[in-house]
Amino acid sequence: MGIVVAGDAMNAGVVTRLLRGEREHPLVALRYRSVLASQHSIGRDDAWHWSVQPDDGAQTAAILVAAVPLEVRGIEGVPREVAPGTLVFLHPRRAASVTALETGTVRGAWVPWDALGEIESGVATLVERIPVSALGSGLHAFLSSLLAQSYARTPHTDHLVERLIAEMVFGVLLEAAPTHGMNVAGATPDIERARSLILVRRVDPEFGVVALARELHMSIRQLQRLFAAVESTPADELRRSRVELARDLMSSSRHARLGVREIAMHSGFRDGAALRRAFAWAGLPSPLKLRNALRH
């Protein structure tokens, strides 16, 4: 999907209107409840202006990744060239401008600022440019897949895509934050990178401890020592994250028709039996009993 954005047309107001479902501007994007995935055709020297948003609870943050070099002028006022593939972070409380140095395409993920949760205070120190990383490349690949394929959408799939995009953006920012002095709850950057990857990849049943270690460029033993320092294990962290996702799906009225097997599959478990074992491990009642209790 290609969309044409005239020079100077791109700004927070346009995105906010799109997030509310309005179509008063030629910008076209795929909306998944509270987030957007977009692709833009941009001409050489076209400029997008990102203004400071009012603190009204409806602020939007963005991650852009372009196939062409960009020039970003942020709070410092100094123009900085951004190579193709480098992520550009647009903070809702910081003005910026983005200019294309060549004709090409730009993809974006637009996420409500309040969805980024506890990372909010630390992100304020981030620069506009975020170097390419495993999480950033994963986000770009996921956006590319969404924008290139046509498939049947349901409220359930929209909910899952919304969560996945928000979690991937969260992970990208969390991964970038330690290089600027952020340290969440005293944890080391490595453990937070591992937890970010777990959040991003937990819906994939093929993702496990071996894959986590590989993506972190660690041995299994190094990864186990990393989590042992916080009195945990990588397998327990992954299982706990999937249980939390399953509980969220069960408590959502949008997914009331889903059976235990479907909830298991959308939470990263291979089948309903694996979900039941994980609930028992977490000290929870069976998925069926918990879902019935949450409905009342």
Side-chain angles (χ1 to χ4, degrees), residues 92-105:
R93 301 194 187 112
R94 293 167 55 181
S97 65
V98 179
T99 303
L101 299 181
E102 297 177 13
T103 297
T105 58

Side-chain angles (χ1 to χ4, degrees), residues 1-7 9-10 25-28 39-43 46 48 104:
M1 178 184 67
I3 60 179
V4 178
V5 180
M10 189 64 192
H25 188 275
L27 175 66
V28 178
Q39 179 170 298
H40 316 259
S41 294
I42 187 169
D46 277 356
W48 296 353

Side-chain angles (χ1 to χ4, degrees), residues 205 260-265 268-277 287:
V260 170
R261 181 176 178 275
E262 292 171 304
I263 289 173
M265 293 178 64
F269 295 99
R270 294 186 181 278
D271 50 37
L275 177 61
R276 287 189 289 272
R277 289 193 296 271

Side-chain angles (χ1 to χ4, degrees), residues 12 23 33 93 98-99 105 123 165 177 185 190 199 271 273:
R23 292 288 184 257
R33 289 162 42 104
R93 301 194 187 112
V98 179
T99 303
T105 58
V123 171
I165 290 178
D190 282 342
L199 277 175
D271 50 37

Side-chain angles (χ1 to χ4, degrees), residues 28-39:
V28 178
L30 297 179
R31 178 183 175 217
Y32 299 93
R33 289 162 42 104
S34 67
V35 306
L36 291 172
S38 64
Q39 179 170 298

Side-chain angles (χ1 to χ4, degrees), residues 239-240 242-253 255-256 258-260 263-264 267 269 272 275-296:
R239 187 184 299 113
R240 186 177 298 111
R242 285 170 170 158
V243 167
E244 290 173 357
L245 177 55
R247 290 190 64 180
D248 287 346
L249 292 176
M250 288 179 182
S251 63
S252 171
S253 60
H255 308 103
L258 291 182
V260 170
I263 289 173
S267 303
F269 295 99
L275 177 61
R276 287 189 289 272
R277 289 193 296 271
F279 270 43
W281 167 85
L284 297 172
S286 71
L288 186 58
K289 288 182 179 179
L290 181 61
R291 187 178 61 179
N292 292 335
L294 290 170
R295 288 179 179 178
H296 296 89

Side-chain angles (χ1 to χ4, degrees), residues 125-141:
T125 63
L126 285 175
V127 296
E128 288 78 16
R129 297 176 299 165
I130 299 179
V132 177
S133 66
L135 291 179
S137 298
L139 173 61
H140 188 199

